[in-house]
Every structure is written in C-alpha cells, then in structure tokens.
C-alpha cells in the first residue's frame, strides 16, 4: 500500500513538473528501476514462502526497525521536496536545488532509504538471497541514475549562472 501511495504522489508530481516545462533525464533507465523494485517486493515474499525462511527474532526485529526508519526517511524526503519529488529525474528550468529536510545533510537521502530498505525488508524473514541480489542490482542501477542526476543538477547550476 505504501508503494501505491508513493506512485500516486510521484505521477502527480511528475505531471506537474512537466507542465512547468520540466525536462526529464535518463528516461531509459526508468523501466529497469520499476522492474527491479517490483521484482524485489515479489522476491521477498516468494523467497520466504518457497524456501520456508524462518522469522528469527534477533534478526527480524532489528531489521523491522530499520525498514520502518527507511520509510520515515523516504516520506521525510517526499514531504520536504513537495511537488518537486517524483521517481523520475526531472529538472524545471529556473528552479533551484532544494536544501531542506534531509537534503540539508545528504545529497541523496532517498537513496539511503532505498538501500536500507533493500537490506532490511527481506531480512525481517531471513530472505538473504533477495537482500543480496537486490543490493547488487540496485547499486548498479543507482550508479547510472545518480549520473543522470548529476547531469540534471549541472543544468540547474548552469541555468542559475545565466539568470
């Protein structure tokens, strides 16, 4: 349910950004990101059911706390960026990079949440194969995505120097 709410907010905000003249960077990687994140959620459940992974309280409870903290961080990012937050890399000409909320402290706090969730969520029920596989694939995808974000932010800096 949380992911559905997130996708509704992301689509609404992306549409708003485009209406403001926003330019998307790296759209080609986006379907891969959706597939990876969808596959991750399916894999977590499938691994637990098919391989009968046990709930180990000494591991499960701390990982549940990390997963909840990751969600809190993610929604702090969403609220802090407001309409500027979405799951795509879209830059609106004339807008400045926002530096509020967790973005005062980190360049990519939402990715910290994604990485923490990628480890913690499957380990709540000992789904270590899902945790390791997602973490490796997500690291590769984030490397590509952050490259697009750096390119987009450079455009923002360039626009700022022109104005």
């Amino acid at each position: 349910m949380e992911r559905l709410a997130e996708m509704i907010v992301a689509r609404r905000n992306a549409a708003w950004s485009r209406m403001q003249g926003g330019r998307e960077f790296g759209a080609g990687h986006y379907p891969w990101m959706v597939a990876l994140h969808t596959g991750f959620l399916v894999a977590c459940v499938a691994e637990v059911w098919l391989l009968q992974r046990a709930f180990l309280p000494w591991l499960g409870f701390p990982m549940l706390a990390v997963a909840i903290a990751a969600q809190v961080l993610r929604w702090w990012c969403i609220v802090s960026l407001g309409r500027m937050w979405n799951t795509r890399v879209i830059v609106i000409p004339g807008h400045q990079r926002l530096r509020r909320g967790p973005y005062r402290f980190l360049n990519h706090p939402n990715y910290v949440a994604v990485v923490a969730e990628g480890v913690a969520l499957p380990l709540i029920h000992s789904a270590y194969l899902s945790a390791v596989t997602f973490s490796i694939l997500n690291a590769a995808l984030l490397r590509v995505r952050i490259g697009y974000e750096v390119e987009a932010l450079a455009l923002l800096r360039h626009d700022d120097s022109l104005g």
Side-chain angles (χ1 to χ4, degrees):
M1 296 305 286
E2 187 278 332
R3 280 292 191 268
L4 289 175
E6 187 179 306
M7 292 310 299
I8 289 168
V9 171
R11 285 185 181 177
R12 183 189 69 216
N13 291 348
W16 177 84
S17 293
R18 287 187 180 103
M19 287 176 23
Q20 306 304 308
R23 176 178 165 204
E24 184 170 0
F25 290 76
H29 85 284
Y30 190 75
W32 293 103
M33 189 175 79
V34 170
L36 177 61
H37 285 255
T38 301
F40 166 68
L41 295 174
V42 171
C44 288
V45 174
E47 183 176 348
V48 170
W49 282 353
L50 296 175
L51 300 180
Q52 300 177 354
R53 299 288 193 217
F55 177 78
L56 306 172
W58 63 268
L59 177 63
F61 287 125
M63 291 300 103
L64 178 60
V66 171
I68 290 169
Q71 295 309 309
V72 169
L73 177 57
R74 174 177 288 117
W75 280 96
W76 188 20
C77 292
I78 292 169
V79 169
S80 296
L81 293 182
R83 286 184 157 181
M84 301 298 290
W85 181 89
N86 66 73
T87 55
R88 295 180 177 269
V89 181
I90 301 176
V91 172
I92 301 171
H95 279 243
Q96 293 184 4
R97 184 174 184 180
L98 299 175
R99 292 278 188 192
R100 58 179 172 242
Y103 293 90
R104 289 177 296 179
F105 311 109
L106 298 168
N107 287 331
H108 302 285
N110 193 63
Y111 299 150
V112 171
V114 171
V115 168
E117 179 186 58
V119 172
L121 189 63
L123 291 181
I124 293 171
H125 275 279
S126 306
Y128 61 88
L129 293 174
S130 296
V132 169
T133 303
F134 176 79
S135 294
I136 291 169
L137 294 174
N138 189 54
L141 187 59
L142 282 179
R143 182 175 179 179
V144 170
R145 183 172 176 89
I146 289 172
Y148 288 120
E149 288 191 2
V150 167
E151 180 184 347
L153 292 173
L155 177 67
L156 270 181
R157 283 191 296 278
H158 178 71
D159 282 353
D160 289 345
S161 67
L162 294 176

